[in-house]
Structures are given as structure tokens and as C-alpha cells.
Amino acid sequence: MKNRLKVLRAERDWTQAELAAALKVSRQTINAIEKGKFDPSLPLAFKAARLFELSIEDIFQDEVTP
Amino acid sequence: MKERTTEAGDFTACNVKNNVRLLSWVFAWVVTLVLADKAELYEWHSSAFISIAAIVINAAIGLGVIVVFMRHLKGLDELQRKIQLDALALSMGVGLVGSFTYSLLVTAKFVIDAEVTDIILLMTLTYVVGVIVGQVRYR
């Protein structure tokens, strides 16, 4: 699963620690999601979507190509 | 974002608090285990009541460790919990397979003086390695 977390975070000039704080997770989790090493749960994805005021699909995309 | 950074501080502080609580309980459990064992081994007393009391206290603290560990897991975020659960699954698998293999080795007399602590040590080491591997993988 691809995601635009790093880009969205950079646009808002937030650090990983600040984003982690907003989502109430560890900085390690944000780093792992940004690097594509870890896919977040649906509740965490919804939380991120609410924070960035976007839809989940605007942040996370399926990597499967037709 | 400043407020949220404080919240992150709370999250980290809560994790540290949970870790300290867990370590304290594990420490208490190990101390009561060693005391109960050594008291019997070196015959510090001859009272059956004291022996039973020491075993019951150790078991009660052991139950406390389980409860505190479950709370510790609940306090983690989803990635940290995944790392812990992966390590626990690995440890349980190695422990299960290892104990049967060990049992066969004892039956075949390749191992003499088998101790249950050997399996516990194997499981503990596997768990620690599992956590380290998880931390490195998701670094």
C-alpha cells in the first residue's frame, strides 16, 4: 500500500514526532508507515484522514495494478 | 501542534510508566521465586506453612505479572503491539517445538539432567531476539 503521509506532513511543515503526537502513536510507527514497511489499521487511517481533512483514498492507495 | 506534541509526551510517558511497572512486577516475581527456591534448597526453615506461603505469594505475584503485561500490551500503539505479538508467537512456537525435541533427546538419552528452566530460557531468549528483530525491521 502506497501513501502520501510524508508529502502531506511536509506540506504542513510537521515533524514525524508532531504527526505521531496528533495520531497518538509512536514516531517509529509514523516512520514505518511513511517508508511503506507497515500498513496502518483502518481506525488509524481514518484518524489520519480526519487530521489532514482528506479522504482515506487521498492518503492511502492500493498498489495492485489492473 | 504544540499541544499534540505534549500529548505525544503523554503517550511516551505512559509507555515508560507501563514499562517501569512491568519491570517492577517481574523483578518482584523473580525475587520471590529465588527466595522460595533457595529457602527450600538450603533449608532456611522447616515449616510447611512458610513453604506454602512462599509458593502462594510467588504464584500471586506471577498472576500480577500477567495482568500488568496485558495492560502493557494495551498501552502500546499498533506497530509496537505487532512487534510484541510477533515475538510472543515466535517464542511460543519455538518453545513448543523445542520442548518436544528436548523431550525426545531426553528419551533417547542424548540429554541428561534435563531441566524445565532450559525451555524457559530458550523461550525467553527467542522472545528477546524476536523483539530486537521487529525493532530493527520497522526502524
Side-chain angles (χ1 to χ4, degrees):
Chain A
M1 192 164 72
K2 289 188 297 183
N3 70 79
R4 296 177 54 228
L5 217 55
K6 192 174 182 177
V7 175
L8 294 168
R9 181 174 62 77
E11 282 173 1
R12 285 154 182 81
D13 204 23
W14 293 346
T15 64
Q16 283 188 342
E18 285 171 335
L19 180 57
L23 297 175
K24 292 184 181 172
V25 295
S26 62
R27 196 194 62 76
Q28 181 190 21
T29 299
I30 297 299
N31 188 48
I33 294 171
E34 284 186 358
K35 286 183 173 176
K37 290 180 177 177
F38 175 69
D39 293 332
S41 66
L42 207 48
L44 183 55
F46 270 116
K47 221 173 183 178
R50 268 199 304 275
L51 180 69
F52 288 114
E53 295 175 336
L54 295 167
S55 66
I56 287 182
E57 293 88 343
D58 291 331
I59 305 174
F60 302 98
Q61 293 91 34
D62 195 358
E63 270 185 308
V64 177
T65 47
Chain B
M1 267 294 158
K2 289 279 182 217
E3 275 179 31
R4 281 168 178 158
T5 309
T6 311
E7 282 177 15
D10 291 347
F11 178 78
T12 310
C14 189
N15 265 351
V16 170
K17 201 172 150 187
N18 283 343
N19 283 338
V20 170
R21 185 179 296 144
L22 180 60
L23 284 174
S24 307
W25 274 87
V26 170
F27 181 75
W29 180 70
V30 170
V31 167
T32 53
L33 180 68
V34 170
L35 284 177
D37 184 55
K38 299 300 172 199
E40 295 300 323
L41 195 65
Y42 298 114
E43 296 174 359
W44 290 346
H45 60 82
S46 55
S47 164
F49 175 76
I50 293 176
S51 296
I52 290 169
I55 293 166
V56 168
I57 289 169
N58 176 249
I61 294 175
L63 288 173
V65 170
I66 294 169
V67 172
V68 170
F69 187 69
M70 285 167 71
R71 283 189 190 154
H72 168 74
L73 281 180
K74 279 184 188 167
L76 298 174
D77 75 14
E78 53 191 72
L79 175 61
Q80 293 167 334
R81 200 176 303 132
K82 177 181 165 44
I83 291 170
Q84 288 289 326
L85 293 179
D86 284 353
L88 286 169
L90 180 70
S91 169
M92 200 191 81
V94 168
L96 194 68
V97 173
S99 58
F100 279 107
T101 305
Y102 198 54
S103 170
L104 288 174
L105 288 169
V106 171
T107 308
K109 294 186 173 62
F110 285 114
V111 175
I112 303 156
D113 293 335
E115 295 280 347
V116 73
T117 47
D118 297 340
I119 297 297
I120 294 168
L121 186 65
L122 175 71
M123 289 180 77
T124 306
L125 287 176
T126 311
Y127 168 70
V128 170
V129 168
V131 169
I132 291 170
V133 167
Q135 294 289 352
V136 170
R137 182 184 296 159
Y138 296 109
R139 194 169 45 184

